[in-house]
Amino acid sequence: MTERKRTPWVVGVSGASGTPYAASVIRGLLAAGEPVDLVVSRASRLTLLDETGIAFRDAHWRDDLAEWLARGADGKPGTFEVSALDDVRYWGAGDLAAGPSSGSYPVKGMLIVPASTACVAGVALGLSKDLLQRVASVTLKERRRLVVAVRETPLNGQTLRHLVALDEAGAVVLPASPAFYAGATHIQDLVDFVAGRVLDAAGVPHGLYRRWEGELGSARPRA
């Protein structure tokens, strides 16, 4: 019997605040049985260290990723159970010879979460200054799904023009904007809503948030 060909989603993590969003997306992909190729930018390591206290290291990426995925959005360690990360492949941000840097490398698409305005600009302009931007450019040229979860406020005109350029190029521009109709009672609920919308845009099934069913007040606790 022929072995099933590995076709991952590339998850790119840029330097914007919002590393819990990325953790939730990765957990959701793995729970759905989707393999993941991970690219963590240099700037995002500083954000990750600041938001979680985790120093993400190339040589120990598996241990550091497991610790990251186990943390809740409130920073509490051991919130989530993390199984083996056999379906995750990590590529260094400076490795421009990495597999996903070529259009011939099979992937389903790319999810950039969170996406900083610098990352948005680099992808919109086609700079490919690091692996994250290069993979995004390859994703667009190969007409694969690219979801850009931009995390910034307010947005100036220059960034808005870059976002319009990405939309016109075929990307899904998805602001990291939590909603409250799903009955959120914890910060993790708000994070999971955004992560769930990212997975929705990628067509990946999940149960991260309560969907709208057309009934006002249905998410509120019953008296």
Side-chain angles (χ1 to χ4, degrees):
M1 185 170 67
T2 304
E3 184 179 353
R4 183 173 64 90
K5 190 173 185 180
R6 183 179 184 274
T7 310
W9 285 95
V10 180
V11 176
V13 186
S14 80
S17 176
T19 54
Y21 292 130
S24 184
V25 165
I26 296 170
R27 287 193 299 266
L29 288 170
L30 296 177
E34 299 283 352
V36 172
D37 275 22
L38 179 63
V39 180
V40 179
S41 76
R42 290 188 175 92
S44 69
R45 295 171 189 238
L46 297 176
T47 308
L48 182 62
L49 181 63
D50 183 55
E51 293 183 345
T52 70
I54 297 172
F56 197 90
R57 304 159 294 175
D58 285 346
H60 303 281
W61 70 266
R62 194 176 296 274
D63 291 337
D64 296 336
L65 178 61
E67 183 182 357
W68 179 16
L69 296 183
R71 286 182 183 261
D74 57 2
K76 183 180 178 180
T79 299
F80 296 96
E81 182 178 348
V82 179
S83 56
L85 298 175
D86 297 337
D87 277 343
V88 180
R89 183 176 295 172
Y90 171 73
W91 303 97
D95 185 5
L96 293 178
S101 68
S102 171
S104 65
Y105 182 86
V107 303
K108 292 181 178 177
M110 183 179 192
L111 316 175
I112 305 178
V113 51
S116 66
T117 54
C119 173
V120 166
V123 176
L125 297 174
L127 297 182
S128 296
K129 72 171 187 176
D130 61 8
L131 181 61
L132 194 158
Q133 292 183 13
R134 170 59 185 169
V135 177
S137 294
V138 168
T139 303
L140 289 175
K141 81 179 182 69
E142 297 294 329
R143 301 297 190 266
R144 296 167 180 160
R145 180 57 56 96
L146 174 64
V147 181
V148 181
V150 60
R151 215 306 307 164
E152 185 59 271
T153 189
L155 296 171
N156 62 28
Q158 187 176 46
T159 298
L160 290 170
R161 285 188 287 272
H162 289 153
L163 292 173
V164 169
L166 289 179
D167 176 78
E168 292 175 343
V172 176
V173 176
L174 195 152
S177 301
F180 296 85
Y181 63 77
T185 59
H186 190 275
I187 185 175
Q188 188 67 53
D189 298 326
L190 298 176
V191 167
D192 286 346
F193 178 87
V194 172
R197 295 299 287 150
V198 171
L199 295 178
D200 286 344
V204 175
H206 66 87
L208 288 176
Y209 69 89
R210 184 186 185 281
R211 296 184 182 277
W212 174 251
E213 296 177 349
E215 182 182 351
L216 293 176
S218 59
R220 292 197 297 269
R222 300 296 183 183

